[in-house]
Amino acid sequence: MDQGLETAADASLTDLWDRILGTQAAPETWLVIATGVVALAVVVPHGVWRLARNAITIAHEGGHGLVALLTGRRLDGIRLHSDTSGLTVSRGRPSGIGMILTAAAGYTAPPLLGLGGAALLGSRRITALLWIATALLVAMLVMIRNAYGVLTVVLTGGAFLLVSWLAGSEVQAAFAYAVVWFLLLGGVRPAFELQSKRRRGGAGDSDADQLSRLTHVPAGLWLFFFHAVSLCSLMGGARWLLAV
């Protein structure tokens, strides 16, 4: 009896593993284009973007936090605010490569996540993308240190979890493609917003300015780097997404 239960459990685990890592049917081209149009309609209008930008902030601050951990820094916590700003606090050397990579990870994280998601969708691993995103959000939730941040991450993670468990394959595909398009397109706009703020004399303590102080490279060049990463990610990701 115990052996039978163990065999059934192993079979269920194998089925779950296959479901996560297996490939799914490629969606119709019209769905890929339609989700891109929807994402663009969310990113361009200011009113809608003002709300949707919270998701980009999650990726931005998550990028800071992940790279801080990978470079050996101690991550104290992450805060997400209702004005779509955020703050990631880590401890370690106040200078050096670890601090530079951590500071550079914010603006580059959303488009690079979108590029990685496009690679997964290009290989038809829709379910894997949904589960990886959910796992990253759960890991980030542990480090959130304010109520608004917890609410934002829980709602976002809940959406991914519900779609990955309860939705049909077509809904999962539409959701996954919309999310990746949003990361790619939404990853472009923040760098332009930062450029506009700096032109008006604001954002004096932005990531670009922090990087300038750390590296003695002009903030404008770091801003150019943010633009290059986001635009190249958009072009590369679009090629993968449209190659259905």
Side-chain angles (χ1 to χ4, degrees), residues 135-145 149-154:
L136 289 174
L137 288 166
V138 170
M140 184 175 178
L141 182 61
V142 177
M143 299 307 303
I144 298 294
R145 295 292 182 264
V150 169
L151 176 63
T152 303
V153 174
V154 166

Side-chain angles (χ1 to χ4, degrees), residues 212-226:
S212 178
R213 291 192 291 269
L214 287 167
T215 63
H216 305 293
V217 173
L221 288 181
W222 281 108
L223 188 57
F224 175 80
F225 172 72
F226 296 156

Side-chain angles (χ1 to χ4, degrees), residues 130-224:
L130 296 175
W131 279 67
I132 291 171
T134 303
L136 289 174
L137 288 166
V138 170
M140 184 175 178
L141 182 61
V142 177
M143 299 307 303
I144 298 294
R145 295 292 182 264
N146 67 323
Y148 182 81
V150 169
L151 176 63
T152 303
V153 174
V154 166
L155 289 176
T156 306
F160 276 92
L161 189 61
L162 288 174
V163 170
S164 61
W165 271 107
L166 302 178
S169 58
E170 290 186 359
V171 174
Q172 287 188 2
F175 181 79
Y177 274 84
V179 167
V180 171
W181 275 120
F182 174 73
L183 286 171
L184 291 170
L185 293 166
V188 172
R189 182 163 177 172
F192 283 99
E193 292 177 335
L194 176 58
Q195 182 177 355
S196 178
K197 288 179 182 178
R198 295 190 76 258
R199 189 182 297 117
R200 298 194 301 268
D205 198 36
S206 69
D207 291 356
D209 293 283
Q210 292 180 39
L211 285 163
S212 178
R213 291 192 291 269
L214 287 167
T215 63
H216 305 293
V217 173
L221 288 181
W222 281 108
L223 188 57
F224 175 80

